[in-house]
């Protein structure tokens, strides 16, 4: 008997009919002789709607209370799903993150899993029941409070449970058939990958391909969990994420995919004295905001003034906070002014084959030039090239690059549901 962890995303359980459809899938998996642990997200766009609601009440909701509110979303879907499975004649019980033993640190809104004690889940499956676990939530032992793992965190819940229960596979069910060479909502000619290395998946996830949450990929890589991303709307094989040491030999494609991130903004600090210590001063200050700073570019300073400009990208949501922190120290750091730009997009080209091929950046920049897209920032890793462009041009940019690297498939990709929110 195999133990399978199945995670169903919000778009797969958006309404009553979808919940019944997912219940039938779970019943089929049981009938095939498997033990099943299910992790479920909140229905449809519930989490976004709850965030909006909280912000209507107060501009900056307290972290503890926001977590309390958001975790309610998963309680709704988990209990409804358990009801639907019982209706099909299988025993099923739902569990909150704390009941499932997901212990986290105390960081509200972005808690990290510190330990998983799935005693009750074990008991449930040993007794022949399907265990349904609320995704994206846990609890902190010290404070006794409920926490959330960050947006998209149900993927991490699923992988962590799969690791703790030694599951055969962690299936991530979503509204597309797997991991594609680009977001099929932006590039309809994107191709489904049958396999991808966890290394490449990490880069794509970090660069905004939200089909898998980066921390879930990290966790799976560290604990040797096999992830299978697939659609809850058909029985097609999806994409396997291959960990190092899985014994699978992979022909390395030069490029595995392109990711786009519209959630970032750019801050430019204009006229910074070009002397040792200034970058340290600035980024020590910025670090107090606990924001995830990404691309950093420092210009060559103008010889006449000895002043330089420093730009960096960060999540849009942190923009206001970081701007305020910098402005408060303007005199001490000695810069001229600050610019905030939230009309940018970050685009990343990812492929393990980049290591051994040359001319990739030339081809990328040529494709952007031919599409009439200006590059504002560039950064690279061993297997990734990222550029910042104007947000309204990024769709043209990603399509042009997709074609230039020969990634277009023969048929159009299908997006089964979801609003892309
Ligand atoms: P879920 O509700 O199942 O968690 P998400 O919305 O979080 O679903 O993730 C699925 C979505 O990820 C797809 O609908 C698609 O628009 C988007 N996506 C972005 N990049 C990719 C990619 N490379 N391959 C597949 N889907 C992608
Ligand atoms: N419901 C949460 C979110 O929308 C967690 C998840 O779906 O993974 O971010
Ligand atoms: Mg998701």
């Amino acid at each position: 008997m195999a133990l399978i962890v199945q995670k169903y995303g919000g778009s797969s359980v958006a309404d009553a009919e979808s919940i019944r459809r997912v219940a039938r899938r779970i019943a089929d998996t049981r009938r095939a002789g498997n033990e099943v642990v299910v992790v479920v997200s909140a229905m449809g766009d519930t989490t976004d709607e709850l965030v909006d609601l909280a912000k209507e009440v107060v501009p900056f909701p307290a972290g503890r209370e926001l977590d309390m509110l958001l975790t309610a979303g998963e309680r709704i879907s988990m209990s409804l799903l358990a009801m639907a499975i019982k209706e099909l004649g299988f025993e099923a019980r739902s569990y909150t993150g704390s009941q499932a033993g997901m212990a986290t640190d105390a960081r509200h809104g972005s808690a990290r899993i510190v330990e998983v004690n799935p005693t009750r889940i074990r008991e449930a499956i040993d007794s022949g029941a399907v265990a349904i676990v609320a995704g994206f939530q846990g609890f902190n032992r010290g404070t006794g409070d409920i926490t959330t793992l960050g947006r998209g965190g149900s993927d991490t819940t699923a992988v962590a449970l799969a690791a703790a229960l030694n599951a055969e596979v962690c299936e991530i069910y979503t509204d597309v058939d797997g991991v594609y060479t680009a977001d099929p909502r932006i590039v309809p000619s994107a191709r489904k990958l049958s396999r991808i290395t966890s290394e490449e998946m990490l880069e794509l996830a970090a660069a905004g391909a939200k089909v898998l949450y980066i921390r879930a990929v990290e966790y799976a890589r560290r604990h040797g969990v096999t992830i299978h991303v697939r659609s809850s709307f058909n029985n097609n094989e999806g994409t396997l994420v291959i960990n190092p040491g899985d014994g699978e030999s992979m022909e390395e494609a030069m490029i595995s995919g392109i990711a786009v991130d519209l959630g970032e903004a750019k801050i430019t600090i204009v006229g910074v004295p070009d002397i040792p210590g200034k970058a340290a001063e600035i980024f020590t200050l910025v670090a107090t905001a606990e924001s995830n700073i990404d691309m950093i570019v420092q210009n060559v300073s103008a010889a006449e003034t000895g002043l330089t400009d420093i730009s960096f990208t960060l999540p849009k949501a942190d923009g206001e906070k970081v701007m305020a922190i910098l402005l408060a120290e303007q005199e001490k750091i000695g810069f001229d002014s600050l610019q905030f730009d939230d009309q940018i997009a970050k685009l990343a080209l990812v492929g393990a084959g980049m290591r051994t091929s040359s001319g990739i950046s030339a081809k990328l920049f040529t494709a952007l030039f031919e599409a009439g897209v200006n590059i504002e920032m560039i950064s690279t890793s061993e297997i990734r090239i990222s550029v910042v462009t104007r947000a309204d041009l990024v769709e043209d940019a990603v399509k042009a690059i997709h074609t230039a690297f020969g990634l277009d498939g023969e048929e159009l990709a299908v997006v089964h549901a979801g609003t892309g929110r």
Side-chain angles (χ1 to χ4, degrees):
M1 204 186 252
L3 169 61
I4 299 179
V5 173
Q6 301 190 330
K7 178 257 171 176
Y8 291 91
S11 51
S12 295
V13 292
D15 51 31
E17 179 40 39
S18 310
I19 288 175
R20 284 197 297 266
R21 183 175 54 81
V22 164
R24 288 195 292 275
R25 274 201 97 98
I26 295 167
D28 287 343
T29 315
R30 279 293 285 134
R31 241 178 247 121
N34 302 294
E35 292 177 323
V36 192
V37 173
V38 176
V39 172
V40 71
S41 292
M43 294 170 70
D45 292 331
T46 301
T47 310
D48 287 298
E49 287 156 15
L50 290 173
V51 170
D52 290 349
L53 180 61
K55 288 194 171 153
E56 259 180 62
V57 176
V58 291
F60 299 106
R64 179 186 184 279
E65 302 312 323
L66 191 60
D67 278 356
M68 212 58 153
L69 177 70
L70 298 189
T71 49
E74 269 73 10
R75 279 179 88 130
I76 295 172
S77 50
M78 72 174 194
S79 46
L80 293 172
L81 186 55
M83 292 172 200
I85 296 171
K86 281 163 92 78
E87 186 70 11
L88 297 173
F90 290 88
E91 184 49 30
R93 285 195 285 280
S94 62
Y95 298 90
T96 62
S98 12
Q99 289 175 320
M102 304 293 298
T104 72
D105 63 19
R107 250 177 298 177
H108 287 293
S110 58
R112 295 210 158 238
I113 297 171
V114 293
E115 207 185 321
V116 184
N117 278 312
T119 317
R120 296 195 66 187
I121 306 305
R122 258 269 159 245
E123 282 167 12
I125 47 181
D126 286 349
S127 75
V130 175
I132 320 270
V133 179
F136 154 76
Q137 53 179 268
F139 73 106
N140 177 258
R141 280 214 195 82
T143 60
D145 282 332
I146 304 295
T147 55
T148 62
L149 308 180
R151 299 305 307 275
S154 295
D155 295 344
T156 318
T157 306
V159 169
L161 273 173
L165 296 165
N166 213 359
E168 186 154 294
V169 61
C170 180
E171 297 181 328
I172 305 283
Y173 284 94
T174 183
D175 55 4
V176 290
D177 284 5
V179 180
Y180 283 73
T181 48
D183 185 341
R185 281 178 212 274
I186 304 178
V187 185
S189 60
R191 244 184 322 114
K192 185 179 78 185
L193 303 165
S194 55
R195 288 167 152 63
I196 185 168
T197 62
S198 54
E199 186 190 28
E200 291 166 302
M201 193 62 236
L202 274 177
E203 289 278 8
L204 283 177
K210 68 169 180 164
V211 63
L212 271 184
Y213 185 45
I214 180 167
R215 277 171 45 198
V217 187
E218 274 168 0
Y219 205 105
R221 193 175 155 90
R222 211 171 322 120
H223 293 84
V225 174
T226 303
I227 295 181
H228 184 183
V229 183
R230 56 194 308 190
S231 163
S232 71
F233 295 82
N234 58 41
N235 286 315
N236 297 348
E237 281 292 306
T239 305
L240 280 179
V241 183
I242 309 296
N243 292 311
D246 270 358
E248 296 246 0
S249 77
M250 271 187 77
E251 178 87 31
E252 285 187 343
M254 187 172 72
I255 300 299
S256 59
I258 308 170
V260 169
D261 191 347
L262 287 164
E264 298 262 302
K266 176 171 83 173
I267 291 180
T268 303
I269 313 173
V270 182
V272 182
D274 193 5
I275 52 172
K278 282 295 157 189
E281 203 179 320
I282 287 169
F283 288 101
T284 305
L285 202 55
V286 169
T288 60
E290 290 190 29
S291 175
N292 265 330
I293 303 301
D294 188 29
M295 288 176 162
I296 302 176
V297 171
Q298 175 173 337
N299 292 333
V300 176
S301 59
E304 336 56 275
T305 57
L307 296 178
T308 183
D309 298 342
I310 297 178
S311 302
F312 59 89
T313 60
L314 77 175
K316 271 183 191 165
D318 298 339
E320 232 176 289
K321 189 164 57 174
V322 173
M323 287 290 283
I325 289 177
L326 285 169
L327 261 185
E329 300 292 329
Q330 176 167 9
E331 225 166 282
K332 185 155 162 273
I333 303 170
F335 61 84
D336 288 341
S337 61
L338 282 182
Q339 288 169 1
F340 183 67
D341 180 355
D342 62 0
Q343 295 304 307
I344 62 159
K346 221 170 56 185
L347 182 156
L349 184 70
V350 173
M354 261 183 214
R355 274 198 195 103
T356 49
S357 317
S358 55
I360 310 259
S361 12
K363 197 167 179 174
L364 168 66
F365 301 154
T366 305
L368 287 169
F369 160 65
E370 283 169 2
V373 178
N374 189 39
I375 302 168
E376 301 181 16
M377 293 168 105
I378 302 169
S379 89
T380 60
S381 85
E382 252 197 320
I383 64 163
R384 171 187 52 76
I385 307 173
S386 302
V387 294
V388 166
T389 69
R390 283 295 93 202
D392 56 354
L393 291 181
V394 76
E395 258 191 62
D396 294 346
V398 64
K399 283 180 184 146
I401 296 166
H402 200 263
T403 304
F405 282 92
L407 298 175
D408 293 337
E410 263 144 39
E411 28 188 286
L412 294 187
V414 183
V415 178
H416 300 281
T419 58
R421 208 175 155 180

